């Protein structure tokens, strides 16, 4: 018996060592890959900060080019979040706390299945089907809400606008936010929920005072992951919106602010070496900006857990 125990202990120790080695190697590989991407973008992109003015898409300088692109990238992502977050949280609550299991399981499966749809399919849907369908809505917004800068102008006649692109982006990030929120809501201690109901709370009050406080940091993480997905989206926006390097809040016109990812995708094929350096430099800016957003998300989550 003692020999068997020693053998089991020995095998366990070897297994622990092997597993620990694999885990450390995987983590190190991720860091090496990130460092390699950053080094490549830095080496190939730094020359793009100072080339002839003709390579800056008529903006005169790299700063004049990247500021409108960065604005449009963040603007489109925030619009998508404004649309997606309420729906995602509502769907996650429905699946985890309201729907019977025979309904919740199929709904969760369908929502998760949306994440497997390629970006190009969403782009085609937005450009061919959703855009023309939203043309009357564009006209109504321009007619009735023109006092807002978002709708003050001549609306598009084909619906291929930043407004349509934001809706498509919202559909694309909805599965990510919903699945994470659903799992976080389901982890709420049952004792907390039952205690709230026992004190006379309604179902909504139980969710508000027991589920949301427990899930706050997870919800922030879900939103930030959705934001990261929206920041890097390329094909859907490139296929839907008519791009222009400009800073504008107008979202239903024929000329829309262009995101960094869409700018790179549309300019890569016909680029000269200097123009390619500029495109890689804008990619470096997007990489750094996304990294900062993720760092901010981790700080917010850590701060919420500390409280």
């Amino acid at each position: 018996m003692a020999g068997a125990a020693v053998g089991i202990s020995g095998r366990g120790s070897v297994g622990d060592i092997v597993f620990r080695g694999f885990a450390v190697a995987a983590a190190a590989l991720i860091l090496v890959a990130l460092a390699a991407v950053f080094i490549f973008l830095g080496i190939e992109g730094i020359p793009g900060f100072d080339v002839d003015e003709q390579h800056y898409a008529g903006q005169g300088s790299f700063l004049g080019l990247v500021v409108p692109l960065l604005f449009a990238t963040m603007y489109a992502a925030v619009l998508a979040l404004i649309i997606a977050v309420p729906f995602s949280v509502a769907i996650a609550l429905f699946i985890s706390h309201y729907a019977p299991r025979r309904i919740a399981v199929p709904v969760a499966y369908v929502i998760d299945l949306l994440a497997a749809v390629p970006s190009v399919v969403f782009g085609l849907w937005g450009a061919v089907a959703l855009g023309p369908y939203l043309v009357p809505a564009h006209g109504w917004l321009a007619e009735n809400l023109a006092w807002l800068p978002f709708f003050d102008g001549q609306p598009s006649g084909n619906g291929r606008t930043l407004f349509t692109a934001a809706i498509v982006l919202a559909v694309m990030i909805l599965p990510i936010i919903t699945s994470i929120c659903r799992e976080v809501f389901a982890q709420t201690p049952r004792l907390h929920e039952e205690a709230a109901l026992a004190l006379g709370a309604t179902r909504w009050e139980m969710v508000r005072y027991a589920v949301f406080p427990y899930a706050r940091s997870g919800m922030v993480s879900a939103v930030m992951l959705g934001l990261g997905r929206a920041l890097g989206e390329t094909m859907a926006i490139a296929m839907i919106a008519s791009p222009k390097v400009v800073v504008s809040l107008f979202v239903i016109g024929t000329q829309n602010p262009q995101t960094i990812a869409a700018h790179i995708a549309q300019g890569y094929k016909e680029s000269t070496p200097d123009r390619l350096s500029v495109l890689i430099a804008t990619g470096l800016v997007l990489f750094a900006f996304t990294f900062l957003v993720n760092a901010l998300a981790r700080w917010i989550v850590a701060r919420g857990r500390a409280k």
Side-chain angles (χ1 to χ4, degrees), residues 152-198:
D152 183 17
Q154 180 65 32
S156 170
N158 57 17
R160 299 180 64 176
T161 64
L162 190 62
F163 179 73
T164 304
I167 294 177
V168 173
L169 269 182
V171 176
M172 295 175 69
I173 66 177
L174 186 141
I176 300 173
I177 303 175
T178 300
S179 61
I180 296 176
C181 287
R182 183 183 73 228
E183 295 300 325
V184 173
F185 293 158
Q187 296 301 317
T188 304
R190 187 68 179 173
L191 183 62
H192 293 184
E193 298 177 359
E194 293 176 349
L197 295 173

Side-chain angles (χ1 to χ4, degrees), residues 44-181:
E44 299 293 332
I46 286 178
F49 288 97
D50 186 22
V51 296
D52 293 338
E53 295 183 0
Q54 60 182 351
H55 299 294
Y56 294 126
Q59 302 302 308
S61 66
F62 180 78
L63 187 63
L65 171 66
V66 77
V67 168
L69 293 177
L70 192 59
F71 165 80
T73 302
M74 194 64 189
Y75 189 37
V78 169
L79 288 176
L81 285 180
I82 291 173
I83 299 171
V85 169
F87 285 100
S88 299
V89 173
I91 294 171
L93 278 177
F94 174 77
I95 294 172
S96 62
H97 284 80
Y98 286 89
R101 183 172 178 79
R102 66 179 182 276
I103 297 177
V105 172
V107 171
Y109 178 76
V110 171
I111 294 297
D112 291 341
L113 200 61
L114 283 175
V117 179
S119 299
V120 66
V121 175
F122 279 113
L124 284 173
W125 170 65
V128 176
L130 184 62
Y133 181 79
L134 291 177
V135 169
H138 285 68
W140 186 91
L141 290 170
E143 182 178 350
N144 296 277
L145 297 178
W147 50 277
L148 292 173
F150 314 106
F151 313 116
D152 183 17
Q154 180 65 32
S156 170
N158 57 17
R160 299 180 64 176
T161 64
L162 190 62
F163 179 73
T164 304
I167 294 177
V168 173
L169 269 182
V171 176
M172 295 175 69
I173 66 177
L174 186 141
I176 300 173
I177 303 175
T178 300
S179 61
I180 296 176
C181 287

